Structures are given as structure tokens and as C-alpha cells.
Amino acid sequence: NAGVTQTPKFQVLKTGQSMTLQCAQDMNHNSMYWYRQDPGMGLRLIYYSASEGTTDKGEVPNGYNVSRLNKREFSLRLESAAPSQTSVYFCASSESGVEAGNTIYFGEGSWLTVV
Amino acid sequence: GEDVEQSLFLSVREGDSSVINCTYTDSSSTYLYWYKQEPGAGLQLLTYIFSNMDMKQDQRLTVLLNKKDKHLSLRIADTQTGDSAIYFCAETGGGNKLTFGTGTQLKVEL
């Protein structure tokens, strides 16, 4: 079972370049999320999509855009990368809202370095 | 606002018990979670507790919740080297999303 798959796993960008992180889940989940992980700061939510066709800002949305392409796919775009966006990015999904106790399943992470 | 805090490091000897602590601020949290992250990998759900429970036990794992003090702990009995990882607590207080703590790096020494 693939679960949550995100690509690329590693990427180096120059400041000002753009790129898109791709994420797909095969569990027929309604909700999808993008988090970033930085040392000593845990995971912070960038954007989430409660269901197909909707997206909402999380804690740290500045500098990012997202697209919920269909139920399976949720992409994260950096339009003009900055060194402060060097981080590990995690895509995740859940059957529906976490208030109901639904488990969030994580991808394996994408290591992004902006130089 | 939501704020979830954990100590950054914990070191224990193999065979001892580990206790990882977490404090949170949002009293409306319905579920509280513990996730484990091994090096170079994503997060895996270890266990969770509903906010109307005080304790949950699952094999070597015991979760204690003190809702009055907004304190959550994870006890790992008979800690093994394979338990070395980063442990995150998380709460559901902020709507349709999880708020994670900073993570506690557990190091198990022989």
C-alpha cells in the first residue's frame, strides 16, 4: 500500500526559483495537509484542504500556494523560493476532520534547500 | 491561541522506562495524539487519547492525561534501542487540523 506519496524527496533551489511539491494519497481521504518541519519548532501547518475543492491557510502560509487538483492530489507551490523556506515538507491526509479522531497519515517528507 | 510544548531531549538506558511530557493550552482539544518520527522518515501515529479519558494503555505505551493542568505524558516501558526517535504530541484544538509540539528526541543508551 502506497499511502501518501510525495515528490521530490530532495531538491536544491536557488533563491527566486519556483517549484511544486507533489502529493498524492490512495486512501480515498477527504482531507489533506502540508506541514513544514524545522529544528526545535516541530511541525507547522502551511495549508490544508478539508475536502476536494476547498483550501485554507494554516499557521505559516506566506510564500506558498496550494492546489487541490482532485481528491487524490494536493500540491504545494513555492513561487519565488527564499532561504527561509529551507525545510522538510510533509504532506498528510486523513479520512475527514481530525476533531472526529481521524488518524493523519504522513508522507515520507521532501527535503528542500534554498541557496 | 494554541501552543504545545515539549522538552527537546531525553536520554534513558535500555530497559528503563521513558516518560515524555507535553503541555498544551487549548482546553477545547477533543483528541490528543502521540506520533513517532524515525530518522529520515515521516511521522507515524503511536497512540491517541480522547479528552474525557485519564489514561490509556497499549502494550508498552501508557498515556496519561491531566486535563485540569493540560498535561499529557507518554510512558514507554522497557525502552529499547528501536525506540530511539523523535516523539511529537499533538492536539486537535484548532479546528480541522493538528497542532504539534516541538518534539522530544529520545536517545536510548546501552
Side-chain angles (χ1 to χ4, degrees):
Chain A
N1 293 332
V4 179
T5 304
Q6 52 181 113
T7 57
K9 193 166 179 72
F10 300 97
Q11 183 73 49
V12 179
L13 285 178
K14 292 183 179 179
T15 298
Q17 284 186 317
S18 62
M19 79 158 296
T20 299
L21 297 174
Q22 306 286 354
C23 176
Q25 50 89 11
D26 62 1
M27 296 173 281
N28 202 36
H29 284 169
N30 290 301
S31 300
M32 297 186 74
Y33 313 82
W34 276 105
Y35 284 88
R36 61 177 287 174
Q37 182 180 19
D38 301 292
M41 301 188 77
L43 275 78
R44 293 180 293 168
L45 184 66
I46 304 170
Y47 271 94
Y48 67 102
S49 171
S51 60
E52 186 179 356
T54 69
T55 60
D56 287 286
K57 293 179 180 179
E59 186 183 352
V60 288
N62 291 343
Y64 304 95
N65 284 302
V66 290
S67 296
R68 183 75 183 266
L69 304 168
N70 47 55
K71 193 172 185 180
R72 288 186 66 246
E73 298 172 288
F74 188 40
S75 62
L76 178 71
R77 182 159 178 85
L78 287 70
E79 290 292 351
S80 179
S84 61
Q85 294 178 304
T86 293
S87 188
V88 184
Y89 292 85
F90 288 98
C91 179
S93 71
S94 62
E95 185 174 345
S96 61
V98 293
E99 303 99 324
N102 289 297
T103 300
I104 287 189
Y105 295 86
F106 283 84
E108 295 200 338
S110 297
W111 274 253
L112 177 65
T113 301
V114 184
V115 297
Chain B
E2 307 125 23
D3 197 11
V4 183
E5 295 188 355
Q6 303 176 236
S7 54
L8 290 180
F9 299 103
L10 176 65
S11 180
V12 299
R13 289 181 183 259
E14 189 177 40
D16 287 350
S17 292
S18 308
V19 179
I20 303 171
N21 294 301
C22 172
T23 58
Y24 60 98
T25 57
D26 195 327
S27 58
S28 67
S29 296
T30 50
Y31 287 88
L32 295 118
Y33 297 80
W34 283 103
Y35 278 82
K36 177 183 180 182
Q37 184 184 32
E38 296 182 350
L43 279 70
Q44 290 181 297
L45 178 68
L46 274 182
T47 186
Y48 66 92
I49 188 167
F50 188 50
S51 59
N52 68 353
M53 297 170 65
D54 298 324
M55 185 182 85
K56 180 179 180 181
Q57 188 150 2
D58 184 0
Q59 299 183 333
R60 290 191 298 123
L61 305 178
T62 303
V63 179
L64 294 178
L65 175 61
N66 181 329
K67 202 171 178 185
K68 174 176 170 290
D69 294 338
K70 299 189 187 70
H71 183 263
L72 181 73
S73 67
L74 174 70
R75 179 177 179 270
I76 306 173
D78 187 26
T79 312
Q80 302 298 307
T81 55
D83 295 323
S84 292
I86 302 176
Y87 291 81
F88 292 92
C89 64
E91 61 165 354
T92 60
N96 185 29
K97 54 183 171 64
L98 286 183
T99 300
F100 285 86
T102 51
T104 299
Q105 174 121 37
L106 174 64
K107 182 179 178 183
V108 182
E109 298 176 327
L110 297 173

